[in-house]
Amino acid sequence: KADVCSAYAFEASKKMPDAHTAITVDGRVQPTEEYPFAYYLGTNQVAIYGELDTHDYINHPLNTAFNSYETWHRNNKAYTNRLHYVDAPEKTILMKESKFTLAPEFQTLYNGRREHEEYKSIMVSAIGNLSSPKSTINGNTPMRHITSLIYARHMVRMMKLYDRITSLNGTVISIATDAIMWTCKYDLPVYETVKALGNFYIEYYNCRARIARQGIYALEKDGAIYLV
């Protein structure tokens, strides 16, 4: 089992858009070098020039298994008017790249997380608060374009890791946010053995797993059981 070290903080450390430069155009328009960030209204997808387009992953096994409309609607009956399930003419919001990044701040927090236990909570809450209902202004959440990129980047990375593992004949048996558990007949070159911001770090190797359901499991190694 391997985890991405501070997955959201890592994705938040990459280049980010500048909302002050936003323009809206009709239809689905691809991002460009000048406007590398594209948000698609009507389909709730995003694209980053030279990096990703979430349209390419709509039918990915992980997306269809965990994010289907039927599952989402059953668990969120009060939110039937959410944008990603409303028919609307497609428009594209394009943004230029910001000259600022959060990389120095998140790297500092990550490096100091052992000496300062609160740093890990700060990394997590800083990202979550960007799209929190408490941050709403006049019915809008002005920083949600940032969190949507962070989550999109992370989801695409997990899908790519899933694809890499299965392409090497590994069998993925559990995925929980930033962690993947798999089994295979031989070692797979998909993980790192050193903890660093963004590394897919191997936590447990050559052990048994007891899975109650998705996201709730225990690992058994050398007679000891580790609850996760």
Side-chain angles (χ1 to χ4, degrees):
K1 170 186 169 286
D3 293 58
V4 179
C5 299
S6 296
Y8 292 152
F10 173 68
E11 302 300 349
S13 299
K14 298 177 180 178
K15 65 181 183 181
M16 283 293 169
D18 181 356
H20 299 91
T21 65
I23 59 173
T24 303
V25 295
D26 292 331
R28 183 185 300 180
V29 178
Q30 294 296 315
T32 64
E33 188 172 357
E34 182 182 7
Y35 286 89
F37 300 93
Y39 298 82
Y40 300 103
L41 306 184
T43 60
N44 196 45
Q45 305 297 320
V46 299
I48 308 173
Y49 181 75
E51 185 177 338
L52 63 84
D53 186 336
T54 57
H55 288 101
D56 298 336
Y57 296 89
I58 290 176
N59 295 317
H60 190 278
L62 296 187
N63 210 18
T64 55
F66 298 108
N67 297 309
S68 67
Y69 171 74
E70 290 78 11
T71 300
W72 185 91
H73 181 68
R74 183 176 64 249
N75 296 331
N76 300 272
K77 293 181 179 179
Y79 300 96
T80 53
N81 65 338
R82 289 288 290 271
L83 178 62
H84 35 312
Y85 300 118
V86 173
D87 291 329
E90 187 158 24
K91 293 181 179 292
T92 303
I93 298 176
L94 297 169
M95 296 185 192
K96 294 183 178 181
E97 180 180 349
S98 173
K99 62 181 180 180
F100 303 106
T101 76
L102 295 171
E105 286 75 18
F106 279 119
Q107 190 65 62
T108 297
L109 290 168
Y110 183 83
N111 292 343
R113 72 195 185 287
R114 297 196 182 280
E115 294 76 18
H116 306 275
E117 294 183 0
E118 69 275 16
Y119 279 14
K120 185 173 182 179
S121 296
I122 292 173
M123 284 191 286
V124 174
S125 60
I127 295 169
N129 284 336
L130 291 177
S131 58
S132 170
K134 295 180 181 179
S135 302
T136 299
I137 300 175
N138 295 327
N140 297 308
T141 310
M143 300 300 289
R144 186 161 287 177
H145 64 292
I146 299 295
T147 54
S148 65
L149 282 187
I150 295 171
Y151 298 147
R153 279 170 164 157
H154 173 65
M155 286 301 297
V156 167
R157 182 180 185 187
M158 297 299 283
M159 292 178 193
K160 287 182 176 180
L161 285 169
Y162 173 95
D163 292 342
R164 174 67 172 158
I165 291 169
T166 55
S167 71
L168 294 172
N169 297 318
T171 300
V172 173
I173 56 178
S174 177
I175 295 182
T177 310
D178 58 359
I180 301 180
M181 188 188 307
W182 70 90
T183 182
C184 52
K185 294 182 178 179
Y186 51 89
D187 197 17
L188 302 183
V190 297
Y191 59 83
E192 287 91 17
T193 57
V194 176
K195 279 194 172 184
L197 182 62
N199 272 10
F200 189 51
Y201 174 74
I202 188 76
E203 275 196 316
Y204 298 96
Y205 183 86
N206 194 24
C207 57
R208 301 178 64 184
R210 300 181 181 184
I211 302 174
R213 60 182 175 85
Q214 184 64 32
I216 300 179
Y217 55 89
L219 296 166
E220 181 182 353
K221 185 175 178 63
D222 300 328
I225 296 179
Y226 304 88
L227 299 176
V228 182

